[in-house]
Amino acid sequence: MTLPNMLQITPLLSACRAGTLTPTDIVREVAARVEAYAAKDPAVWISRVPMERLLARAAELEKLPADDLPLYGIPFAVKDNIDVAGLPTTAACPAFAYEPRESAEVIKRLEAAGAIVIGKTNLDQFATGLVGMRSPYGQPHCVFNPDYVSGGSSSGSAVAVAAGLVSFSLGTDTAGSGRVPAAFNNIVGLKPSRGVLSTYGLVPACESLDCISVFAGSAADAWEVEQVAGAPDARAPFSRTLSPRSLPLTTFRFAVLPEDERFFDGNEANAALYAQAIKRLEQLGGTPVELDFAPLKETAALLYSGPFVVERLAAIKDFYHSHRKDMDPTVGTILDGAANYTATDVFDGIYRQHALQQIAQRMWDDFDVMLLPTAPRIVTKQEVIEQPIAANSLLGAYTNFVNLLDMAACAVPAGFAPDGLPFGVTFVSPAFTDEDLASLAGRFHKALGEAIGAARIEKPEAPAGQAASSSSGRVLLAVVGAHLQGFPLHWQLEKENAVLRETTLTAPDYRLFALPDATPPKPGLVRERGFVGAGLEVEVYELDAAGFGRFVASVPQPMSIGRITLANGKEVCGFLCSEAVARSGTDITATGGWRSYMQKK
């Protein structure tokens, strides 16, 4: 199977479970892509897992059942201030580098779920900055224009996803570092509630505020990663258990900046895109409410223009005092500012932070979620060279307050300006609403209808000498519900020129359930070993590999593509469903299939 340009989790996982793709296939393709992309941007990676280790990891996974691992074979990148055993941790400062004895807790959890670490990515040194320009390992650039910054501090992590090199990546987010690079590279950046992802094994920036964040092609992928990686950890001093809180998702109120307070630093195109984003969210059921941004702006100033800079110094104080000359000049200057504050100033700042938290908490009485620009505009590398502090401050205008006020956030793409540069918005909500936040942000992103990351400007072509309709690498796919002929989703098969090969039955040990609240109505197929039924009607279609890959990419959770056994004993690809979700519906096995069930309704 040919890998799609953007390596989203669902199609890769489904292909692995269907047996049309292996972890070895994935790591070989990813390694080739990483090498090829280095010619465009050599600053994305600081270190990479050697090929022999990647192949050994893939071989290890191939001994395990793919169905049991939620991230089986999924490649990911790690910001180089998070420990990965076997690779140095540099925090983008060679003099600081060390060899960790063990991986960070989040890495252990992701690897246990089947994910594959590809390497460590570049960052603003000690995660101090939003520009992606403060590293001796080079400066990654925006995937759409090399004259513009990638955003930071999680610069390499965002580019690795946007360029289609990995399925997801880990960044960190203290002041917006998991959101600004997402906006500048047309991907999703999910900043979990503080403490939900363990920071054990993370080089701290501001330990009381730091969050490990997730970059991905979709909010659903990012949430899947958060679910796998998140867990309480007594070794992380600010660890917390995710105690889920809900958001209204059908009709809801969302806070927006008043028109006279929308700051885009003169970029009229971004102002128009923000107005369009508001209208789009209204179409999804939202009612806009004007936001008083003043308390949030005051909170943001505490982080860099106030006493909280002292916590940045506390994180690396011994190294700072012995190696100040080895630090990036701008990062060093920021930490030098800590000397201007006393312990009394720090406590005054903490008291003001808590007073502002009280004000912010009352805001949620007026709306359910905020919709803000992720950044006023993207800046050029030259602007950062000329004004490193001012350019950085501009990028944090709408991000710095979020962790200080204990909120969750999800940055998603929101369109492109006429100059071809991306714009993004961020959904902000109360702590512990992470799942519903990702769901709402994902609905907005899907409604945008844009390709993800650099795929927006890429035009993949069939290999030389091979037509798209080539008979090589064709796949048989069994459909059991809404994709049957005459049903609402059959057009997706027609779009891929799928050919009906036979109408037949499954093996007798399958059950079929009508899923609750599915739109359009659809069933879930589950195999129950030991059950003996009459089999269920399926239609078996033939698609070429590329068409199959595109089709699989459209399959939403809780569905996946796996192997289905037919009545004649033959195995083909087919729709499977999470058993827990399926069994929450109505058992319709006795009807013999979805067509018969719908005809009798």
Side-chain angles (χ1 to χ4, degrees), residues 23-342:
T24 296
D25 296 331
I26 292 172
V27 299
R28 288 191 185 280
E29 172 68 14
V30 165
R33 291 188 183 192
V34 169
E35 289 292 341
Y37 197 78
K40 298 180 182 179
D41 190 344
V44 176
W45 304 88
I46 291 179
S47 63
R48 284 162 43 198
V49 177
M51 190 64 189
E52 60 270 22
R53 277 178 51 192
L54 289 177
L55 291 173
R57 168 66 171 156
E60 175 185 90
L61 286 171
E62 286 162 14
K63 299 175 184 176
L64 303 174
D67 291 344
D68 294 346
L69 298 173
L71 295 175
Y72 180 87
I74 302 300
F76 74 106
V78 182
K79 185 176 180 177
D80 196 15
N81 60 343
I82 302 171
D83 288 345
V84 174
L87 295 176
T89 299
T90 71
C93 182
F96 179 80
Y98 64 90
E99 297 285 341
R101 290 176 294 179
E102 61 176 325
S103 292
E105 177 62 22
V106 289
I107 304 299
K108 291 178 181 178
R109 293 186 62 82
L110 291 168
E111 289 189 316
I116 302 174
V117 177
I118 301 301
K120 306 288 287 295
T121 50
N122 207 350
L123 66 153
D124 279 326
Q125 191 174 91
F126 294 113
T128 302
L130 291 171
V131 290
M133 291 281 286
R134 301 171 178 174
S135 171
Y137 296 98
Q139 293 76 41
H141 56 70
C142 167
V143 295
F144 299 100
N145 190 322
D147 294 334
Y148 286 81
V149 301
S150 61
S153 61
S154 309
S155 53
S157 288
V159 173
V161 172
L165 308 182
V166 292
S167 297
F168 72 91
S169 63
L170 298 184
T172 62
D173 190 314
T174 302
S177 295
R179 290 164 277 157
V180 169
F184 292 172
N185 293 283
N186 192 38
I187 58 172
V188 171
L190 177 61
K191 189 212 76 67
S193 298
R194 278 184 358 214
V196 170
L197 268 60
S198 168
T199 55
Y200 179 79
L202 167 68
V203 177
C206 291
E207 191 164 9
S208 67
L209 302 176
D210 292 337
C211 295
I212 291 178
S213 63
V214 183
F215 295 105
S218 70
D221 277 6
W223 168 242
E224 176 69 16
V225 173
E226 180 183 334
Q227 284 182 287
V228 171
D233 185 355
R235 298 168 299 176
F238 294 96
S239 175
R240 300 190 291 182
T241 301
L242 178 60
S243 302
R245 297 173 59 185
S246 61
L247 293 172
L249 298 176
T250 305
T251 57
F252 52 90
R253 301 161 301 161
F254 65 100
V256 300
L257 297 167
E259 288 195 35
D260 60 354
E261 294 184 27
R262 296 176 188 177
F263 171 65
F264 294 96
D265 199 36
N267 191 309
E268 295 301 324
N270 284 358
L273 287 169
Y274 180 59
Q276 289 175 19
I278 293 171
K279 292 185 181 299
R280 185 173 298 112
L281 198 54
E282 286 185 86
Q283 293 168 354
L284 293 177
T287 301
V289 176
E290 287 197 345
L291 171 68
D292 179 7
F293 194 68
L296 309 183
K297 186 174 182 180
E298 181 185 348
T299 304
L302 292 173
L303 197 58
Y304 280 109
S305 304
F308 276 80
V309 72
V310 175
E311 189 173 13
R312 287 193 176 269
L313 176 60
I316 56 166
K317 60 182 182 299
D318 294 337
F319 180 82
Y320 168 84
H321 290 305
S322 60
H323 290 83
R324 170 63 180 82
K325 67 181 186 303
D326 296 318
M327 296 178 64
D328 175 88
T330 303
V331 174
T333 298
I334 292 169
L335 295 187
D336 292 343
N340 298 325
Y341 298 96
T342 65

Side-chain angles (χ1 to χ4, degrees), residues 413-553:
F416 285 78
D419 60 6
L421 293 171
F423 174 73
V425 294
T426 297
F427 289 74
V428 182
S429 60
F432 302 137
T433 57
D434 303 34
E435 181 175 9
D436 284 354
L437 176 69
S439 177
L440 182 58
R443 285 175 57 202
F444 174 93
H445 186 198
K446 186 174 182 180
L448 179 66
E450 280 278 8
I452 301 163
R456 184 181 190 267
I457 57 173
E458 294 175 356
K459 293 180 173 59
E461 298 177 357
Q466 179 181 323
S469 60
S470 167
S471 61
S472 62
R474 299 187 71 82
V475 180
L476 292 177
L477 173 71
V479 299
V480 69
H483 288 89
L484 295 168
Q485 283 184 328
F487 285 81
L489 298 183
H490 184 71
W491 65 269
Q492 294 178 346
L493 288 170
E494 292 178 334
K495 179 182 176 184
E496 301 301 343
N497 299 312
V499 178
L500 178 63
R501 290 305 182 197
E502 65 174 322
T503 299
T504 185
L505 299 175
T506 67
D509 54 351
Y510 286 90
R511 287 189 183 274
L512 194 66
F513 297 83
L515 298 181
D517 304 320
T519 304
K522 58 177 69 76
L525 184 69
V526 174
R527 192 166 202 177
E528 183 179 313
R529 301 289 185 181
F531 170 71
V532 179
L536 298 157
E537 181 188 6
V538 294
E539 292 175 352
V540 180
Y541 289 84
E542 183 179 304
L543 301 84
D544 64 45
F548 177 73
R550 289 188 295 268
F551 178 83
V552 169

